[in-house]
Amino acid sequence: MTSCAKPEPLLTLDAPVGVIADTHGLLRDEALTYLTGCGLILHLGDVGQKQENQSILDRLEQIAPLFVVKGNIDTAPWAESLSLTHSLDVNGWRLHLVHRLIDFDEATPCDVVLHGHSHKPRNEWQEDRLLFNPGAAGKRRFKLPITLGKLWLEEHQIKRAIIHLPL
């Protein structure tokens, strides 16, 4: 398990946070439409294996500031600088990003664990911690839906949604 050694960025947003994962080399136009207007975008890994897949991150960064963690298929040279985990504070909520939930260290102080890898959307509280997986927004795996997520980090609550993209 690897943890983020850098201090957490402290961000204040009036817009939602877009959460996307497991694009696997495919950034759908519908995903871009739903992410437009977000104040921040989080990509939870498995961007893609090829060198040209870095363009997915470039495109997302044109919409809003972007934080990315490395997924297990992110093996191209551009992905070497990506961390396995990342922590940040948004509107007073402590967020922790990781691709595979198994790599999450339970001792990490956070309110929300954002993870990908399984391609299965997840939106559930476990005790005082939200576990949120936006599902997969790229290539379809098995019969799982194509989804992404949004978070509205308000002072006293977190509103959240899993958004199903058309196939």
Side-chain angles (χ1 to χ4, degrees):
M1 286 179 261
T2 303
S3 62
C4 182
K6 297 184 228 173
E8 295 181 10
L10 303 175
L11 304 169
T12 303
L13 298 176
D14 290 326
V17 175
V19 187
I20 189 168
D22 296 284
T23 47
H24 289 266
L26 175 62
L27 183 58
R28 297 169 182 270
D29 291 337
E30 297 87 356
L32 294 170
T33 298
Y34 283 110
L35 293 171
T36 298
C38 289
L40 177 68
I41 297 174
L42 309 174
H43 195 302
L44 304 176
D46 279 2
V47 177
Q49 295 174 301
K50 299 177 182 174
Q51 187 61 29
E52 62 266 19
N53 295 149
Q54 182 178 6
S55 66
I56 290 172
L57 301 180
D58 296 339
R59 182 64 186 102
L60 292 173
E61 205 163 31
Q62 291 173 5
I63 297 171
L66 176 68
F67 288 91
V68 181
V69 291
K70 186 175 191 168
N72 54 291
I73 71 153
D74 296 328
T75 56
W78 61 264
E80 290 175 8
S81 64
L82 296 178
S83 297
L84 293 178
T85 65
H86 192 79
S87 295
L88 63 154
D89 183 301
V90 180
N91 295 350
W93 295 97
R94 296 168 304 167
L95 310 181
H96 187 75
L97 287 60
V98 63
H99 180 63
R100 299 183 325 154
L101 189 57
I102 196 169
D103 295 327
F104 172 64
D105 180 351
E106 290 284 335
T108 303
C110 63
D111 304 303
V112 182
V113 178
L114 297 134
H115 65 96
H117 186 63
S118 70
H119 292 227
K120 296 177 184 175
R122 182 180 199 175
N123 180 1
E124 69 177 274
W125 286 96
Q126 284 190 356
E127 298 178 21
D128 291 336
R129 190 175 274 162
L130 175 63
L131 299 178
F132 191 87
N133 182 336
K139 296 176 182 173
R140 189 169 190 194
R141 181 178 178 197
F142 309 116
K143 293 185 178 184
L144 295 172
I146 305 299
T147 57
L148 56 78
K150 280 191 178 180
L151 302 173
W152 291 263
L153 302 168
E154 299 178 354
E155 185 176 356
H156 299 291
Q157 68 178 340
I158 301 174
K159 293 180 183 175
R160 59 231 189 259
I162 300 291
I163 300 166
H164 291 253
L165 303 177
L167 295 177

